[in-house]
């Protein structure tokens, strides 16, 4: 097999119809290139397999990315690893390097020693939820921090999250528009901030409609430790379910089918995340597509800002809107399908 030819700056310049000098300035972090064009150059470089310049000789900031080991593999791992890869790409664009640390209760003492090594890290990014004890210990370290897909409950650091409440509100509203009034929620409320927010969006829309959700239609999907548990469905079911994520929605569809219940003819189901489960499911899931690229870009941008201005304290919550993807897991109460036009709207971007 012929060896793949390496991609050069000139190749990138030719494809974009710009000069090699412009490409060089963008890839080396120099002024003189607009943000929109710079993004196009980096996107093409990434797609083409171009090897970014070696920033090792420059004085660069180093970021510790703190992520639970359970997110490095399995179903949730695909989501978080994709976000992790985009974050480190964005950091590299700004001449920053990074190291992932996956602390557990057992490894916490040695991990704390590593993180607190003088001069090793200039900032920390918390990616996803951590065990409470682990998170509380690391949060005490006096370094700039950014929380991704989770809130900083102290409000001292920036948090970059998906707009969960509005997106779940819109999913619930869509079900109501299709004639559903008996709507359940699948997810262990309180297990994560994302699930709690998605439940609040569902609950708000139901209460606005004058509907009091039945307690037995709120189905837990995981233990307090975050491990998946069997879905225990009541004998009498609602006509639709809002699920906190696609993996849970996929599992729900399987559970319903085992009881001889058709989806969506008997029960409609929605997910969240637009993960691989949304398309593997039969029927494919109506869900919310999370903009992982936008989240990663903003998280890296805020991290860089705080490392450059460590004296400035205080945090903000940045909510990145998702986009509802309408598929075949929802139908009108009478059984007919009615997908609205894709508007592209997904809430207000507070960036």
């Amino acid at each position: 097999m012929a060896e793949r030819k390496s991609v050069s700056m000139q190749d990138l310049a030719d494809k974009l119809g710009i000069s090699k000098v412009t490409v060089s300035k963008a890839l080396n972090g120099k002024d003189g290139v607009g943000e929109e064009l710079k993004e196009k150059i980096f996107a093409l470089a990434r797609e083409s397999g171009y090897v970014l310049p070696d920033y090792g000789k420059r004085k660069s900031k180093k970021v510790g990315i703190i992520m639970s080991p359970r997110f490095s593999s399995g179903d949730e791992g695909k989501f978080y690893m994709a976000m992790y890869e985009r974050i480190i790409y964005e950091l590299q664009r700004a001449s920053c390097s990074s190291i992932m640390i996956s602390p557990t209760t057992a490894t916490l003492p040695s991990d704390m020693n590593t993180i607190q090594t003088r001069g090793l890290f200039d900032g920390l990014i918390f990616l996803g939820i951590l065990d409470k004890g682990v998170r509380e210990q690391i949060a005490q370290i006096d370094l700039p921090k950014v929380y991704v897909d989770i809130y900083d409950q102290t409000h001292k650091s920036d948090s970059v999250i998906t707009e969960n409440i509005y997106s779940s509100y819109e999913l619930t509203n869509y079900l109501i528009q299709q004639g559903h009034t008996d709507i359940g929620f699948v997810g262990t409320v309180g297990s994560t901030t994302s699930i709690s927010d998605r439940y609040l969006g569902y609950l708000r829309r139901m209460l606005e409609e004058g509907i009091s959700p039945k307690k037995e239609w709120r189905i837990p999907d995981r233990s307090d430790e975050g491990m998946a548990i069997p879905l225990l469905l009541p004998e009498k079911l609602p006509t639709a379910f809002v699920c906190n994520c696609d993996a849970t929605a996929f599992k729900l569809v399987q559970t319903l089918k085992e009881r001889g219940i058709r989806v969506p003819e008997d029960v409609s189901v929605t997910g969240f995340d637009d993960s691989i489960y949304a398309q593997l499911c039969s029927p494919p899931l109506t869900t919310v597509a999370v903009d992982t690229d936008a989240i990663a870009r903003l998280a890296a941008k805020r991290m860089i800002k705080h490392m450059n201005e460590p004296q400035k304290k205080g945090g903000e919550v940045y909510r990145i809107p998702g986009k509802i993807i309408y598929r075949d897991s929802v139908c009108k109460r009478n059984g007919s399908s009615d997908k609205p036009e894709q508007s592209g709207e997904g809430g207000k971007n507070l960036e």
Side-chain angles (χ1 to χ4, degrees), residues 177-344:
Q177 289 176 343
Q178 301 308 301
H180 297 277
T181 54
D182 295 340
I183 306 172
F185 182 87
V186 187
T188 302
V189 179
S191 176
T192 70
T193 52
S194 294
I195 293 177
S196 296
D197 282 354
R198 292 168 192 180
Y199 176 72
L200 288 173
Y202 151 84
L203 184 62
R204 175 183 164 186
R205 184 63 190 93
M206 294 286 280
L207 294 178
E208 284 181 355
E209 199 68 17
I211 305 170
S212 296
K214 293 185 178 181
K215 185 177 180 180
E216 60 268 30
W217 289 345
R218 194 175 81 188
I219 315 296
D221 71 331
R222 66 195 68 196
S223 66
D224 292 338
E225 294 74 33
M227 304 302 291
I229 60 175
L231 302 180
L232 302 179
L233 303 181
E235 190 62 32
K236 178 174 170 46
L237 293 170
T239 63
F241 279 105
V242 173
C243 297
N244 80 89
C245 67
D246 293 334
T248 291
F250 180 88
K251 188 175 180 180
L252 174 63
V253 171
Q254 290 181 312
T255 304
L256 290 170
K257 288 181 176 180
E258 289 169 2
R259 284 180 49 170
I261 297 167
R262 301 171 301 166
V263 177
E265 294 86 353
D266 300 323
V267 176
S268 291
V269 175
T270 67
F272 207 108
D273 292 333
D274 196 28
S275 70
I276 187 65
Y277 284 102
Q279 297 182 50
L280 289 178
C281 190
S282 179
L285 293 170
T286 290
T287 186
V288 173
V290 175
D291 194 342
T292 56
D293 281 358
I295 291 172
R297 283 198 304 271
L298 183 55
K301 178 181 177 182
R302 299 305 300 172
M303 183 79 269
I304 293 162
K305 179 177 176 60
H306 287 302
M307 289 190 298
N308 290 334
E309 302 174 354
Q311 71 282 1
K312 292 189 177 180
K313 305 295 183 182
E316 301 286 343
V317 177
Y318 296 87
R319 297 176 176 86
I320 305 299
K323 178 181 179 182
I324 297 181
I325 308 297
Y326 300 97
R327 298 195 179 101
D328 298 329
S329 63
V330 173
C331 68
K332 281 190 174 181
R333 185 65 186 92
N334 61 13
S336 65
S337 177
D338 184 14
K339 300 179 191 175
E341 291 293 325
Q342 300 256 6
S343 66

Side-chain angles (χ1 to χ4, degrees), residues 22-213:
T22 301
V23 174
S24 177
K25 283 183 177 180
L27 295 180
N28 285 283
K30 295 181 179 179
D31 295 333
V33 183
E35 283 301 317
E36 185 176 348
L37 178 55
K38 189 182 296 183
E39 180 61 32
K40 288 181 180 179
I41 293 169
F42 271 94
L44 180 59
R46 185 169 63 252
E47 293 166 5
S48 304
Y50 177 81
V51 178
L52 290 171
D54 182 5
Y55 297 115
K57 296 180 180 179
R58 301 183 185 183
K59 183 179 178 183
S60 65
K61 304 287 188 181
K62 183 171 286 187
V63 179
I65 300 180
I66 315 299
M67 186 174 78
S68 170
R70 73 172 183 266
F71 294 150
S72 61
S73 62
D75 305 329
E76 288 182 306
K78 295 175 183 176
F79 175 82
Y80 281 106
M81 288 306 295
M83 192 174 291
Y84 164 74
E85 290 172 2
R86 185 58 196 254
I87 288 174
I88 62 175
Y89 183 83
E90 294 295 333
L91 290 172
Q92 187 182 27
R93 286 180 58 179
S95 305
C96 298
S97 59
S98 62
I99 296 177
M100 179 192 285
I101 297 178
S102 299
T104 64
T105 302
T107 66
L108 184 57
S110 61
D111 289 330
M112 287 287 288
N113 287 335
T114 300
I115 297 169
Q116 291 178 302
T117 299
R118 184 175 178 83
L120 181 58
F121 292 118
D122 299 286
L124 301 174
I125 291 178
F126 290 75
L127 181 51
I129 194 168
L130 292 166
D131 292 339
K132 184 178 180 182
V134 172
R135 179 181 171 187
E136 288 177 347
Q137 285 289 312
I138 298 178
Q140 294 176 22
I141 296 173
D142 188 21
L143 285 173
K145 303 177 188 72
V146 172
Y147 291 73
V148 181
D149 201 41
I150 185 174
Y151 292 105
D152 171 22
Q153 296 175 341
T154 69
H155 304 293
K156 294 179 180 178
S157 304
D158 287 345
S159 303
V160 185
I161 61 172
T162 298
E163 177 41 270
N164 291 300
I165 296 177
Y166 182 83
S167 296
S168 185
Y169 175 98
E170 285 296 288
L171 280 173
T172 309
N173 183 60
Y174 172 51
L175 291 171
I176 291 173
Q177 289 176 343
Q178 301 308 301
H180 297 277
T181 54
D182 295 340
I183 306 172
F185 182 87
V186 187
T188 302
V189 179
S191 176
T192 70
T193 52
S194 294
I195 293 177
S196 296
D197 282 354
R198 292 168 192 180
Y199 176 72
L200 288 173
Y202 151 84
L203 184 62
R204 175 183 164 186
R205 184 63 190 93
M206 294 286 280
L207 294 178
E208 284 181 355
E209 199 68 17
I211 305 170
S212 296

